[in-house]
Short mmCIF file of all heavy atoms in Angstrom, two decimals:
data_model
loop_
_atom_site.label_atom_id
_atom_site.label_comp_id
_atom_site.label_asym_id
_atom_site.label_seq_id
_atom_site.Cartn_x
_atom_site.Cartn_y
_atom_site.Cartn_z
N MET K 1199 149.62 168.59 69.64
CA MET K 1199 149.79 167.44 68.79
C MET K 1199 149.20 167.78 67.42
O MET K 1199 148.15 168.38 67.31
CB MET K 1199 149.10 166.23 69.41
CG MET K 1199 149.35 164.96 68.61
SD MET K 1199 148.52 163.48 69.24
CE MET K 1199 149.12 163.36 70.87
N HIS K 1200 149.89 167.33 66.40
CA HIS K 1200 149.43 167.58 65.03
C HIS K 1200 148.11 166.86 64.81
O HIS K 1200 147.89 165.76 65.30
CB HIS K 1200 150.50 167.11 64.05
CG HIS K 1200 150.28 167.62 62.67
ND1 HIS K 1200 149.56 166.93 61.74
CD2 HIS K 1200 150.70 168.76 62.07
CE1 HIS K 1200 149.53 167.61 60.62
NE2 HIS K 1200 150.23 168.73 60.79
N ARG K 1201 147.23 167.48 64.04
CA ARG K 1201 145.90 166.94 63.81
C ARG K 1201 145.94 165.58 63.13
O ARG K 1201 145.20 164.66 63.50
CB ARG K 1201 145.09 167.93 62.98
CG ARG K 1201 143.64 167.55 62.85
CD ARG K 1201 142.89 168.57 62.07
NE ARG K 1201 143.47 168.63 60.73
CZ ARG K 1201 143.29 169.61 59.87
NH1 ARG K 1201 142.55 170.64 60.21
NH2 ARG K 1201 143.84 169.59 58.68
N GLU K 1202 146.82 165.40 62.16
CA GLU K 1202 146.93 164.11 61.46
C GLU K 1202 147.46 163.02 62.38
O GLU K 1202 147.01 161.87 62.32
CB GLU K 1202 147.84 164.25 60.24
CG GLU K 1202 147.26 165.12 59.14
CD GLU K 1202 146.03 164.48 58.52
OE1 GLU K 1202 145.99 163.24 58.37
OE2 GLU K 1202 145.09 165.23 58.21
N LEU K 1203 148.41 163.37 63.23
CA LEU K 1203 148.94 162.39 64.18
C LEU K 1203 147.87 161.98 65.17
O LEU K 1203 147.74 160.80 65.51
CB LEU K 1203 150.17 162.96 64.91
CG LEU K 1203 150.81 162.05 65.95
CD1 LEU K 1203 151.33 160.77 65.29
CD2 LEU K 1203 151.93 162.79 66.66
N HIS K 1204 147.10 162.93 65.63
CA HIS K 1204 146.01 162.64 66.55
C HIS K 1204 145.00 161.71 65.90
O HIS K 1204 144.55 160.73 66.52
CB HIS K 1204 145.36 163.95 66.99
CG HIS K 1204 144.24 163.79 67.97
ND1 HIS K 1204 144.12 162.73 68.82
CD2 HIS K 1204 143.17 164.58 68.23
CE1 HIS K 1204 143.04 162.86 69.54
NE2 HIS K 1204 142.44 163.98 69.21
N HIS K 1205 144.64 161.98 64.66
CA HIS K 1205 143.70 161.14 63.93
C HIS K 1205 144.27 159.73 63.73
O HIS K 1205 143.56 158.73 63.92
CB HIS K 1205 143.39 161.78 62.57
CG HIS K 1205 142.44 160.98 61.74
ND1 HIS K 1205 141.11 160.81 62.07
CD2 HIS K 1205 142.63 160.32 60.57
CE1 HIS K 1205 140.54 160.06 61.16
NE2 HIS K 1205 141.44 159.76 60.23
N PHE K 1206 145.56 159.64 63.39
CA PHE K 1206 146.20 158.34 63.18
C PHE K 1206 146.22 157.53 64.48
O PHE K 1206 145.90 156.34 64.49
CB PHE K 1206 147.62 158.53 62.66
CG PHE K 1206 148.41 157.27 62.62
CD1 PHE K 1206 148.17 156.30 61.66
CD2 PHE K 1206 149.41 157.02 63.56
CE1 PHE K 1206 148.88 155.13 61.62
CE2 PHE K 1206 150.13 155.84 63.54
CZ PHE K 1206 149.87 154.90 62.56
N LEU K 1207 146.60 158.17 65.59
CA LEU K 1207 146.67 157.45 66.86
C LEU K 1207 145.29 157.01 67.34
O LEU K 1207 145.13 155.92 67.89
CB LEU K 1207 147.35 158.32 67.92
CG LEU K 1207 148.85 158.54 67.73
CD1 LEU K 1207 149.38 159.48 68.79
CD2 LEU K 1207 149.60 157.22 67.73
N ALA K 1208 144.29 157.83 67.11
CA ALA K 1208 142.92 157.45 67.49
C ALA K 1208 142.46 156.24 66.70
O ALA K 1208 141.86 155.31 67.26
CB ALA K 1208 141.98 158.63 67.27
N ARG K 1209 142.75 156.22 65.41
CA ARG K 1209 142.36 155.07 64.59
C ARG K 1209 143.16 153.83 64.97
O ARG K 1209 142.62 152.73 65.01
CB ARG K 1209 142.55 155.38 63.11
CG ARG K 1209 141.73 156.55 62.65
CD ARG K 1209 140.76 156.35 61.58
NE ARG K 1209 140.68 155.08 60.95
CZ ARG K 1209 140.25 154.91 59.72
NH1 ARG K 1209 139.95 155.96 59.01
NH2 ARG K 1209 140.12 153.73 59.20
N LEU K 1210 144.44 154.00 65.27
CA LEU K 1210 145.28 152.87 65.66
C LEU K 1210 144.80 152.26 66.97
O LEU K 1210 144.68 151.03 67.08
CB LEU K 1210 146.74 153.33 65.80
CG LEU K 1210 147.74 152.25 66.21
CD1 LEU K 1210 147.87 151.21 65.11
CD2 LEU K 1210 149.08 152.86 66.52
N ILE K 1211 144.49 153.09 67.95
CA ILE K 1211 143.99 152.58 69.22
C ILE K 1211 142.64 151.90 69.03
O ILE K 1211 142.36 150.87 69.64
CB ILE K 1211 143.91 153.73 70.25
CG1 ILE K 1211 145.33 154.16 70.62
CG2 ILE K 1211 143.13 153.32 71.48
CD1 ILE K 1211 145.39 155.42 71.44
N GLY K 1212 141.80 152.43 68.17
CA GLY K 1212 140.51 151.80 67.88
C GLY K 1212 140.68 150.44 67.24
O GLY K 1212 139.99 149.48 67.61
N VAL K 1213 141.60 150.32 66.30
CA VAL K 1213 141.83 149.02 65.65
C VAL K 1213 142.39 148.01 66.65
O VAL K 1213 141.97 146.85 66.67
CB VAL K 1213 142.79 149.19 64.45
CG1 VAL K 1213 143.30 147.85 63.95
CG2 VAL K 1213 142.10 149.94 63.33
N ILE K 1214 143.31 148.44 67.49
CA ILE K 1214 143.88 147.54 68.49
C ILE K 1214 142.80 147.08 69.47
O ILE K 1214 142.73 145.90 69.82
CB ILE K 1214 145.06 148.22 69.22
CG1 ILE K 1214 146.23 148.38 68.25
CG2 ILE K 1214 145.48 147.44 70.44
CD1 ILE K 1214 147.37 149.22 68.79
N ALA K 1215 141.96 148.00 69.91
CA ALA K 1215 140.89 147.65 70.85
C ALA K 1215 139.90 146.68 70.22
O ALA K 1215 139.53 145.67 70.84
CB ALA K 1215 140.18 148.90 71.33
N PHE K 1216 139.48 146.95 69.00
CA PHE K 1216 138.52 146.07 68.34
C PHE K 1216 139.13 144.72 67.99
O PHE K 1216 138.41 143.74 67.80
CB PHE K 1216 137.93 146.72 67.10
CG PHE K 1216 136.84 147.70 67.43
CD1 PHE K 1216 136.96 149.04 67.09
CD2 PHE K 1216 135.69 147.30 68.07
CE1 PHE K 1216 135.97 149.95 67.40
CE2 PHE K 1216 134.69 148.19 68.40
CZ PHE K 1216 134.83 149.53 68.05
N THR K 1217 140.44 144.64 67.91
CA THR K 1217 141.10 143.35 67.67
C THR K 1217 141.22 142.58 68.97
O THR K 1217 141.06 141.35 68.97
CB THR K 1217 142.50 143.59 67.07
OG1 THR K 1217 142.37 144.36 65.87
CG2 THR K 1217 143.18 142.29 66.75
N LEU K 1218 141.52 143.24 70.06
CA LEU K 1218 141.72 142.55 71.33
C LEU K 1218 140.43 142.14 72.03
O LEU K 1218 140.43 141.16 72.77
CB LEU K 1218 142.56 143.42 72.26
CG LEU K 1218 144.03 143.54 71.91
CD1 LEU K 1218 144.72 144.47 72.89
CD2 LEU K 1218 144.70 142.19 71.91
N ILE K 1219 139.36 142.85 71.80
CA ILE K 1219 138.10 142.54 72.48
C ILE K 1219 137.62 141.12 72.20
O ILE K 1219 137.33 140.37 73.14
CB ILE K 1219 137.02 143.60 72.17
CG1 ILE K 1219 137.35 144.90 72.89
CG2 ILE K 1219 135.62 143.12 72.56
CD1 ILE K 1219 136.47 146.06 72.51
N PRO K 1220 137.56 140.66 70.95
CA PRO K 1220 137.14 139.27 70.72
C PRO K 1220 138.12 138.25 71.30
O PRO K 1220 137.71 137.19 71.79
CB PRO K 1220 137.08 139.14 69.20
CG PRO K 1220 137.02 140.52 68.69
CD PRO K 1220 137.69 141.38 69.69
N VAL K 1221 139.40 138.56 71.29
CA VAL K 1221 140.39 137.63 71.84
C VAL K 1221 140.19 137.49 73.35
O VAL K 1221 140.20 136.38 73.88
CB VAL K 1221 141.82 138.12 71.52
CG1 VAL K 1221 142.86 137.30 72.23
CG2 VAL K 1221 142.06 138.11 70.02
N VAL K 1222 140.00 138.59 74.04
CA VAL K 1222 139.82 138.56 75.49
C VAL K 1222 138.51 137.86 75.84
O VAL K 1222 138.46 137.02 76.75
CB VAL K 1222 139.86 139.99 76.06
CG1 VAL K 1222 139.43 140.02 77.51
CG2 VAL K 1222 141.26 140.56 75.91
N LEU K 1223 137.45 138.16 75.13
CA LEU K 1223 136.16 137.51 75.40
C LEU K 1223 136.23 136.01 75.15
O LEU K 1223 135.69 135.21 75.92
CB LEU K 1223 135.06 138.14 74.56
CG LEU K 1223 134.65 139.55 74.96
CD1 LEU K 1223 133.60 140.10 74.00
CD2 LEU K 1223 134.14 139.59 76.38
N THR K 1224 136.91 135.60 74.08
CA THR K 1224 137.07 134.17 73.79
C THR K 1224 137.87 133.49 74.88
O THR K 1224 137.54 132.38 75.30
CB THR K 1224 137.75 133.98 72.42
OG1 THR K 1224 136.96 134.63 71.43
CG2 THR K 1224 137.89 132.51 72.08
N ALA K 1225 138.92 134.13 75.36
CA ALA K 1225 139.73 133.53 76.42
C ALA K 1225 138.92 133.38 77.71
O ALA K 1225 139.01 132.35 78.38
CB ALA K 1225 140.96 134.39 76.67
N PHE K 1226 138.11 134.37 78.06
CA PHE K 1226 137.33 134.29 79.29
C PHE K 1226 136.21 133.26 79.17
O PHE K 1226 135.72 132.78 80.19
CB PHE K 1226 136.76 135.65 79.67
CG PHE K 1226 137.73 136.48 80.46
CD1 PHE K 1226 138.40 137.53 79.87
CD2 PHE K 1226 137.98 136.20 81.78
CE1 PHE K 1226 139.30 138.29 80.58
CE2 PHE K 1226 138.88 136.95 82.51
CZ PHE K 1226 139.55 138.00 81.91
N VAL K 1227 135.79 132.92 77.97
CA VAL K 1227 134.78 131.88 77.80
C VAL K 1227 135.43 130.51 77.67
O VAL K 1227 134.97 129.53 78.25
CB VAL K 1227 133.90 132.19 76.56
CG1 VAL K 1227 133.02 131.01 76.21
CG2 VAL K 1227 133.07 133.43 76.81
N ALA K 1228 136.53 130.42 76.93
CA ALA K 1228 137.15 129.12 76.65
C ALA K 1228 137.91 128.55 77.85
O ALA K 1228 137.92 127.34 78.04
CB ALA K 1228 138.09 129.25 75.46
N LEU K 1229 138.56 129.39 78.64
CA LEU K 1229 139.34 128.87 79.77
C LEU K 1229 138.47 128.13 80.79
O LEU K 1229 138.81 127.01 81.16
CB LEU K 1229 140.12 130.00 80.45
CG LEU K 1229 141.50 130.23 79.90
CD1 LEU K 1229 142.12 131.47 80.52
CD2 LEU K 1229 142.39 129.04 80.13
N PRO K 1230 137.37 128.70 81.27
CA PRO K 1230 136.55 127.93 82.22
C PRO K 1230 135.99 126.65 81.61
O PRO K 1230 135.86 125.65 82.30
CB PRO K 1230 135.42 128.90 82.59
CG PRO K 1230 135.98 130.24 82.35
CD PRO K 1230 136.90 130.08 81.17
N MET K 1231 135.68 126.68 80.32
CA MET K 1231 135.15 125.47 79.69
C MET K 1231 136.22 124.38 79.61
O MET K 1231 135.93 123.21 79.85
CB MET K 1231 134.61 125.79 78.31
CG MET K 1231 133.33 126.60 78.36
SD MET K 1231 132.72 127.05 76.74
CE MET K 1231 132.39 125.47 76.03
N SER K 1232 137.45 124.73 79.29
CA SER K 1232 138.50 123.72 79.16
C SER K 1232 138.99 123.25 80.53
O SER K 1232 139.38 122.09 80.68
CB SER K 1232 139.66 124.26 78.34
OG SER K 1232 140.29 125.32 79.01
N LEU K 1233 138.96 124.13 81.54
CA LEU K 1233 139.37 123.73 82.88
C LEU K 1233 138.27 122.99 83.64
O LEU K 1233 138.54 122.25 84.57
CB LEU K 1233 139.78 124.96 83.69
CG LEU K 1233 141.06 125.67 83.29
CD1 LEU K 1233 141.22 126.94 84.12
CD2 LEU K 1233 142.25 124.77 83.46
N GLY K 1234 137.05 123.21 83.25
CA GLY K 1234 135.93 122.63 83.98
C GLY K 1234 135.55 123.44 85.20
O GLY K 1234 134.74 123.01 86.01
N ARG K 1235 136.15 124.59 85.38
CA ARG K 1235 135.87 125.48 86.51
C ARG K 1235 136.41 126.85 86.16
O ARG K 1235 137.11 127.02 85.18
CB ARG K 1235 136.55 124.97 87.78
CG ARG K 1235 138.06 124.90 87.63
CD ARG K 1235 138.74 124.32 88.86
NE ARG K 1235 140.14 124.11 88.64
CZ ARG K 1235 141.08 125.04 88.76
NH1 ARG K 1235 140.76 126.26 89.14
NH2 ARG K 1235 142.34 124.77 88.53
N HIS K 1236 136.09 127.85 86.97
CA HIS K 1236 136.67 129.17 86.77
C HIS K 1236 138.08 129.19 87.34
O HIS K 1236 138.37 128.48 88.31
CB HIS K 1236 135.80 130.24 87.44
CG HIS K 1236 134.51 130.47 86.72
ND1 HIS K 1236 134.44 131.19 85.56
CD2 HIS K 1236 133.25 130.04 86.98
CE1 HIS K 1236 133.19 131.21 85.13
NE2 HIS K 1236 132.45 130.52 85.97
N PRO K 1237 139.00 129.97 86.76
CA PRO K 1237 140.39 129.95 87.22
C PRO K 1237 140.58 130.29 88.70
O PRO K 1237 141.51 129.81 89.32
CB PRO K 1237 141.08 131.00 86.34
CG PRO K 1237 140.25 131.05 85.12
CD PRO K 1237 138.85 130.79 85.57
N GLY K 1238 139.72 131.05 89.33
CA GLY K 1238 139.88 131.41 90.73
C GLY K 1238 139.32 130.40 91.71
O GLY K 1238 139.58 130.45 92.90
N GLU K 1239 138.53 129.45 91.22
CA GLU K 1239 137.91 128.47 92.10
C GLU K 1239 138.90 127.36 92.43
O GLU K 1239 139.76 127.02 91.63
CB GLU K 1239 136.68 127.85 91.41
CG GLU K 1239 135.56 128.83 91.19
CD GLU K 1239 134.40 128.20 90.45
OE1 GLU K 1239 134.55 127.07 89.95
OE2 GLU K 1239 133.36 128.84 90.36
N PRO K 1240 138.76 126.76 93.61
CA PRO K 1240 139.65 125.63 93.93
C PRO K 1240 139.31 124.43 93.05
O PRO K 1240 138.18 124.24 92.63
CB PRO K 1240 139.36 125.35 95.40
CG PRO K 1240 138.03 125.96 95.67
CD PRO K 1240 137.88 127.10 94.71
N ALA K 1241 140.32 123.62 92.80
CA ALA K 1241 140.12 122.43 91.96
C ALA K 1241 139.28 121.40 92.71
O ALA K 1241 139.32 121.31 93.94
CB ALA K 1241 141.47 121.83 91.57
N ALA K 1242 138.54 120.63 91.98
CA ALA K 1242 137.72 119.58 92.57
C ALA K 1242 138.63 118.50 93.15
O ALA K 1242 139.66 118.15 92.57
CB ALA K 1242 136.79 119.00 91.52
N THR K 1243 138.23 117.95 94.30
CA THR K 1243 139.04 116.91 94.92
C THR K 1243 138.82 115.56 94.28
O THR K 1243 139.69 114.71 94.30
CB THR K 1243 138.76 116.83 96.43
OG1 THR K 1243 137.36 116.60 96.61
CG2 THR K 1243 139.15 118.13 97.12
N THR K 1244 137.64 115.35 93.71
CA THR K 1244 137.37 114.09 93.02
C THR K 1244 137.58 114.30 91.54
O THR K 1244 137.21 115.33 90.98
CB THR K 1244 135.93 113.61 93.28
OG1 THR K 1244 135.03 114.63 92.83
CG2 THR K 1244 135.70 113.35 94.75
N PRO K 1245 138.18 113.33 90.87
CA PRO K 1245 138.39 113.50 89.44
C PRO K 1245 137.07 113.49 88.68
O PRO K 1245 136.13 112.79 89.06
CB PRO K 1245 139.25 112.30 89.05
CG PRO K 1245 139.02 111.30 90.12
CD PRO K 1245 138.70 112.07 91.37
N ILE K 1246 137.02 114.25 87.64
CA ILE K 1246 135.83 114.33 86.80
C ILE K 1246 135.89 113.17 85.82
O ILE K 1246 136.85 113.03 85.06
CB ILE K 1246 135.75 115.67 86.07
CG1 ILE K 1246 135.67 116.81 87.09
CG2 ILE K 1246 134.56 115.70 85.12
CD1 ILE K 1246 135.78 118.18 86.46
N VAL K 1247 134.88 112.32 85.85
CA VAL K 1247 134.86 111.16 84.96
C VAL K 1247 134.14 111.56 83.69
O VAL K 1247 133.00 112.00 83.72
CB VAL K 1247 134.14 109.97 85.63
CG1 VAL K 1247 134.09 108.79 84.70
CG2 VAL K 1247 134.82 109.63 86.95
N MET K 1248 134.83 111.41 82.58
CA MET K 1248 134.25 111.75 81.30
C MET K 1248 133.38 110.58 80.83
O MET K 1248 133.72 109.42 81.05
CB MET K 1248 135.35 112.01 80.27
CG MET K 1248 136.26 113.18 80.64
SD MET K 1248 135.38 114.74 80.79
CE MET K 1248 135.00 115.06 79.11
N PRO K 1249 132.25 110.86 80.20
CA PRO K 1249 131.41 109.78 79.70
C PRO K 1249 132.13 108.99 78.61
O PRO K 1249 132.89 109.53 77.82
CB PRO K 1249 130.18 110.50 79.14
CG PRO K 1249 130.58 111.91 78.97
CD PRO K 1249 131.71 112.18 79.90
N ARG K 1250 131.90 107.70 78.62
CA ARG K 1250 132.55 106.83 77.64
C ARG K 1250 131.76 106.87 76.34
O ARG K 1250 130.54 106.97 76.34
CB ARG K 1250 132.61 105.40 78.16
CG ARG K 1250 133.36 105.32 79.47
CD ARG K 1250 133.45 103.90 79.95
NE ARG K 1250 134.85 103.55 79.77
CZ ARG K 1250 135.29 102.36 79.46
NH1 ARG K 1250 134.45 101.37 79.28
NH2 ARG K 1250 136.57 102.13 79.33
N HIS K 1251 132.46 106.77 75.25
CA HIS K 1251 131.82 106.73 73.96
C HIS K 1251 131.33 105.32 73.65
O HIS K 1251 131.93 104.35 74.09
CB HIS K 1251 132.80 107.16 72.84
CG HIS K 1251 133.16 108.60 72.94
ND1 HIS K 1251 132.33 109.60 72.52
CD2 HIS K 1251 134.27 109.21 73.42
CE1 HIS K 1251 132.91 110.77 72.73
NE2 HIS K 1251 134.10 110.56 73.27
N MET K 1252 130.24 105.24 72.95
CA MET K 1252 129.68 103.94 72.63
C MET K 1252 130.24 103.47 71.30
O MET K 1252 129.58 103.49 70.27
CB MET K 1252 128.16 104.02 72.60
CG MET K 1252 127.54 104.41 73.92
SD MET K 1252 125.77 104.56 73.87
CE MET K 1252 125.30 102.89 73.50
N THR K 1253 131.51 103.05 71.32
CA THR K 1253 132.15 102.54 70.10
C THR K 1253 132.56 101.12 70.26
O THR K 1253 132.73 100.59 71.30
CB THR K 1253 133.38 103.39 69.73
OG1 THR K 1253 134.28 103.39 70.82
CG2 THR K 1253 132.97 104.80 69.40
#
């Protein structure tokens, strides 16, 4: 493989990895928070009652 092509592909893969890492970490943190549970856990049988606002 040509040296310049190797350098270009290494930088491209690095940029893609550094772009995807925050997206993947955000998804793994945000999904359980929005679902109220982890995706692999069974859903709760009783509905979750949200606190009422004092308005």
Side-chain angles (χ1 to χ4, degrees):
M1199 184 182 302
H1200 195 269
R1201 188 178 62 197
E1202 292 294 323
L1203 179 62
H1204 181 26
H1205 179 68
F1206 171 74
L1207 290 176
R1209 300 239 356 206
L1210 180 66
I1211 291 170
V1213 167
I1214 291 172
F1216 280 119
T1217 303
L1218 287 178
I1219 288 172
V1221 172
V1222 170
L1223 289 177
T1224 302
F1226 275 104
V1227 169
L1229 270 173
M1231 289 177 63
S1232 66
L1233 291 175
R1235 60 183 173 84
H1236 288 283
E1239 294 177 350
T1243 57
T1244 58
I1246 299 172
V1247 179
M1248 299 299 289
R1250 302 182 109 213
H1251 292 282
M1252 298 178 64
T1253 57

